[in-house]
Short mmCIF file of all heavy atoms in Angstrom, two decimals:
data_model
loop_
_atom_site.label_atom_id
_atom_site.label_comp_id
_atom_site.label_asym_id
_atom_site.label_seq_id
_atom_site.Cartn_x
_atom_site.Cartn_y
_atom_site.Cartn_z
N LEU A 1 0.82 -1.21 0.00
CA LEU A 1 0.00 0.00 0.00
C LEU A 1 0.86 1.27 0.00
O LEU A 1 0.56 2.27 0.66
CB LEU A 1 -0.97 0.01 1.19
CG LEU A 1 -2.03 -1.11 1.17
CD1 LEU A 1 -2.91 -1.03 2.40
CD2 LEU A 1 -2.88 -1.04 -0.09
N TYR A 2 1.93 1.20 -0.76
CA TYR A 2 2.75 2.40 -1.00
C TYR A 2 1.87 3.48 -1.62
O TYR A 2 1.04 3.22 -2.48
CB TYR A 2 3.90 2.05 -1.94
CG TYR A 2 4.53 3.24 -2.63
CD1 TYR A 2 5.13 4.26 -1.89
CD2 TYR A 2 4.53 3.34 -4.02
CE1 TYR A 2 5.72 5.34 -2.53
CE2 TYR A 2 5.11 4.41 -4.67
CZ TYR A 2 5.70 5.42 -3.92
OH TYR A 2 6.28 6.50 -4.55
N GLY A 3 2.04 4.72 -1.15
CA GLY A 3 1.28 5.86 -1.67
C GLY A 3 -0.07 6.04 -1.02
O GLY A 3 -0.79 6.98 -1.34
N HIS A 4 -0.42 5.14 -0.08
CA HIS A 4 -1.74 5.19 0.57
C HIS A 4 -1.66 5.85 1.95
O HIS A 4 -0.57 6.01 2.51
CB HIS A 4 -2.31 3.78 0.72
CG HIS A 4 -2.77 3.16 -0.56
ND1 HIS A 4 -1.92 2.91 -1.61
CD2 HIS A 4 -3.99 2.75 -0.97
CE1 HIS A 4 -2.61 2.36 -2.60
NE2 HIS A 4 -3.86 2.25 -2.23
N TRP A 5 -2.83 6.16 2.47
CA TRP A 5 -2.97 6.69 3.83
C TRP A 5 -3.67 5.66 4.71
O TRP A 5 -4.40 4.81 4.21
CB TRP A 5 -3.83 7.96 3.83
CG TRP A 5 -3.08 9.22 3.51
CD1 TRP A 5 -2.60 10.13 4.40
CD2 TRP A 5 -2.72 9.70 2.21
NE1 TRP A 5 -1.97 11.16 3.74
CE2 TRP A 5 -2.03 10.92 2.39
CE3 TRP A 5 -2.92 9.23 0.91
CZ2 TRP A 5 -1.54 11.67 1.32
CZ3 TRP A 5 -2.43 9.97 -0.16
CH2 TRP A 5 -1.74 11.17 0.06
N PRO A 6 -3.49 5.76 6.03
CA PRO A 6 -4.34 4.96 6.91
C PRO A 6 -5.77 5.52 6.86
O PRO A 6 -5.98 6.65 6.42
CB PRO A 6 -3.72 5.16 8.29
CG PRO A 6 -2.96 6.45 8.19
CD PRO A 6 -2.51 6.58 6.76
N LEU A 7 -6.72 4.75 7.31
CA LEU A 7 -8.11 5.21 7.39
C LEU A 7 -8.42 5.61 8.84
O LEU A 7 -8.49 6.79 9.16
CB LEU A 7 -9.06 4.13 6.90
CG LEU A 7 -10.55 4.47 6.92
CD1 LEU A 7 -10.86 5.67 6.03
CD2 LEU A 7 -11.38 3.27 6.50
N GLY A 8 -8.58 4.64 9.72
CA GLY A 8 -8.72 4.94 11.14
C GLY A 8 -7.36 5.21 11.76
O GLY A 8 -6.38 4.54 11.45
N LEU A 9 -7.30 6.22 12.64
CA LEU A 9 -6.01 6.69 13.15
C LEU A 9 -5.78 6.40 14.63
O LEU A 9 -4.71 6.69 15.15
CB LEU A 9 -5.88 8.20 12.92
CG LEU A 9 -6.10 8.68 11.49
CD1 LEU A 9 -5.99 10.20 11.43
CD2 LEU A 9 -5.08 8.04 10.55
N HIS A 10 -6.76 5.85 15.29
CA HIS A 10 -6.65 5.62 16.73
C HIS A 10 -5.71 4.45 17.02
O HIS A 10 -5.75 3.44 16.30
CB HIS A 10 -8.04 5.33 17.30
CG HIS A 10 -8.06 5.15 18.78
ND1 HIS A 10 -7.98 6.21 19.67
CD2 HIS A 10 -8.14 4.02 19.54
CE1 HIS A 10 -8.02 5.74 20.90
NE2 HIS A 10 -8.11 4.42 20.85
N PRO A 11 -4.89 4.48 18.06
CA PRO A 11 -4.71 5.61 18.99
C PRO A 11 -3.59 6.55 18.56
O PRO A 11 -3.55 7.69 18.98
CB PRO A 11 -4.35 4.90 20.29
CG PRO A 11 -3.59 3.67 19.85
CD PRO A 11 -4.22 3.25 18.54
N LEU A 12 -2.64 6.06 17.74
CA LEU A 12 -1.49 6.88 17.32
C LEU A 12 -1.48 6.96 15.80
O LEU A 12 -1.11 6.00 15.12
CB LEU A 12 -0.18 6.26 17.82
CG LEU A 12 -0.04 6.16 19.35
CD1 LEU A 12 1.23 5.39 19.71
CD2 LEU A 12 -0.02 7.55 19.98
N PRO A 13 -1.88 8.09 15.24
CA PRO A 13 -2.00 8.21 13.78
C PRO A 13 -0.72 7.83 13.03
O PRO A 13 -0.79 7.17 11.99
CB PRO A 13 -2.34 9.69 13.58
CG PRO A 13 -3.06 10.07 14.84
CD PRO A 13 -2.36 9.31 15.93
N ARG A 14 0.44 8.20 13.54
CA ARG A 14 1.67 7.94 12.80
C ARG A 14 2.06 6.47 12.80
O ARG A 14 2.95 6.06 12.06
CB ARG A 14 2.81 8.80 13.36
CG ARG A 14 2.58 10.29 13.11
CD ARG A 14 3.81 11.10 13.34
NE ARG A 14 3.58 12.53 13.08
CZ ARG A 14 4.54 13.45 13.05
NH1 ARG A 14 5.81 13.09 13.28
NH2 ARG A 14 4.27 14.71 12.81
N GLU A 15 1.39 5.67 13.63
CA GLU A 15 1.64 4.23 13.65
C GLU A 15 0.53 3.45 12.96
O GLU A 15 0.60 2.22 12.89
CB GLU A 15 1.81 3.76 15.09
CG GLU A 15 3.03 4.35 15.79
CD GLU A 15 3.17 3.87 17.22
OE1 GLU A 15 2.42 2.94 17.61
OE2 GLU A 15 4.03 4.42 17.94
N ALA A 16 -0.51 4.14 12.49
CA ALA A 16 -1.64 3.46 11.86
C ALA A 16 -1.23 2.88 10.51
O ALA A 16 -0.48 3.49 9.74
CB ALA A 16 -2.80 4.44 11.68
N ALA A 17 -1.72 1.68 10.22
CA ALA A 17 -1.38 1.00 8.96
C ALA A 17 -2.12 1.63 7.79
O ALA A 17 -3.26 2.08 7.93
CB ALA A 17 -1.74 -0.48 9.06
N PRO A 18 -1.50 1.68 6.63
CA PRO A 18 -2.18 2.24 5.45
C PRO A 18 -3.38 1.39 5.06
O PRO A 18 -3.45 0.20 5.35
CB PRO A 18 -1.10 2.23 4.37
CG PRO A 18 -0.08 1.24 4.83
CD PRO A 18 -0.12 1.27 6.32
N HIS A 19 -4.32 2.01 4.37
CA HIS A 19 -5.60 1.40 4.02
C HIS A 19 -5.91 1.71 2.56
O HIS A 19 -5.51 2.74 2.02
CB HIS A 19 -6.70 1.95 4.94
CG HIS A 19 -7.98 1.19 4.89
ND1 HIS A 19 -8.91 1.35 3.89
CD2 HIS A 19 -8.50 0.26 5.75
CE1 HIS A 19 -9.94 0.57 4.13
NE2 HIS A 19 -9.71 -0.12 5.24
N GLU A 20 -6.67 0.81 1.92
CA GLU A 20 -6.96 0.97 0.49
C GLU A 20 -7.85 2.16 0.16
O GLU A 20 -7.73 2.74 -0.92
CB GLU A 20 -7.66 -0.30 -0.04
CG GLU A 20 -6.80 -1.55 -0.06
CD GLU A 20 -6.91 -2.35 1.23
OE1 GLU A 20 -7.40 -1.77 2.25
OE2 GLU A 20 -6.50 -3.52 1.25
N LEU A 21 -8.71 2.57 1.07
CA LEU A 21 -9.80 3.48 0.69
C LEU A 21 -9.46 4.97 0.58
O LEU A 21 -9.88 5.61 -0.39
CB LEU A 21 -10.98 3.31 1.65
CG LEU A 21 -11.69 1.95 1.61
CD1 LEU A 21 -12.87 1.96 2.58
CD2 LEU A 21 -12.17 1.65 0.19
N PRO A 22 -8.76 5.59 1.54
CA PRO A 22 -8.71 7.06 1.52
C PRO A 22 -8.20 7.68 0.23
O PRO A 22 -8.74 8.67 -0.25
CB PRO A 22 -7.79 7.39 2.70
CG PRO A 22 -7.95 6.24 3.63
CD PRO A 22 -8.12 5.04 2.74
N VAL A 23 -7.16 7.09 -0.36
CA VAL A 23 -6.56 7.72 -1.53
C VAL A 23 -7.49 7.72 -2.73
O VAL A 23 -7.35 8.56 -3.63
CB VAL A 23 -5.22 7.02 -1.88
CG1 VAL A 23 -5.46 5.66 -2.53
CG2 VAL A 23 -4.36 7.90 -2.78
N GLU A 24 -8.46 6.81 -2.78
CA GLU A 24 -9.35 6.71 -3.94
C GLU A 24 -9.98 8.04 -4.29
O GLU A 24 -10.00 8.45 -5.45
CB GLU A 24 -10.46 5.69 -3.67
CG GLU A 24 -10.04 4.25 -3.70
CD GLU A 24 -11.23 3.32 -3.53
OE1 GLU A 24 -12.36 3.79 -3.36
OE2 GLU A 24 -11.00 2.10 -3.55
N ILE A 25 -10.53 8.73 -3.29
CA ILE A 25 -11.16 10.02 -3.54
C ILE A 25 -10.24 11.17 -3.13
O ILE A 25 -10.15 12.18 -3.82
CB ILE A 25 -12.52 10.13 -2.81
CG1 ILE A 25 -13.26 11.41 -3.19
CG2 ILE A 25 -12.38 10.03 -1.30
CD1 ILE A 25 -13.81 11.40 -4.58
N MET A 26 -9.52 10.99 -2.03
CA MET A 26 -8.69 12.08 -1.50
C MET A 26 -7.53 12.41 -2.43
O MET A 26 -7.13 13.58 -2.56
CB MET A 26 -8.18 11.72 -0.11
CG MET A 26 -7.61 12.89 0.67
SD MET A 26 -7.35 12.49 2.43
CE MET A 26 -5.92 11.41 2.33
N GLY A 27 -7.00 11.41 -3.12
CA GLY A 27 -5.88 11.66 -4.03
C GLY A 27 -6.25 12.63 -5.13
O GLY A 27 -5.52 13.59 -5.41
N SER A 28 -7.40 12.43 -5.76
CA SER A 28 -7.84 13.33 -6.82
C SER A 28 -8.18 14.70 -6.27
O SER A 28 -7.88 15.73 -6.89
CB SER A 28 -9.06 12.73 -7.54
OG SER A 28 -8.71 11.53 -8.21
N LEU A 29 -8.81 14.73 -5.09
CA LEU A 29 -9.17 16.03 -4.50
C LEU A 29 -7.93 16.82 -4.11
O LEU A 29 -7.94 18.06 -4.17
CB LEU A 29 -10.06 15.80 -3.27
CG LEU A 29 -11.40 15.11 -3.53
CD1 LEU A 29 -12.21 15.02 -2.23
CD2 LEU A 29 -12.21 15.83 -4.60
#
């Protein structure tokens, strides 16, 4: 999931694993 963002960030956002969904819409926006 290179180039992706995590979705849920709890409890530590910088340790959250990347997820398939956010970049789908957020990348274009």
Side-chain angles (χ1 to χ4, degrees):
L1 296 179
Y2 161 61
H4 288 62
W5 276 262
L7 180 61
L9 306 178
H10 183 77
L12 298 174
R14 293 194 179 188
E15 295 180 9
H19 193 280
E20 293 91 343
L21 294 182
V23 75
E24 286 184 359
I25 186 72
M26 194 168 73
S28 295
L29 298 183

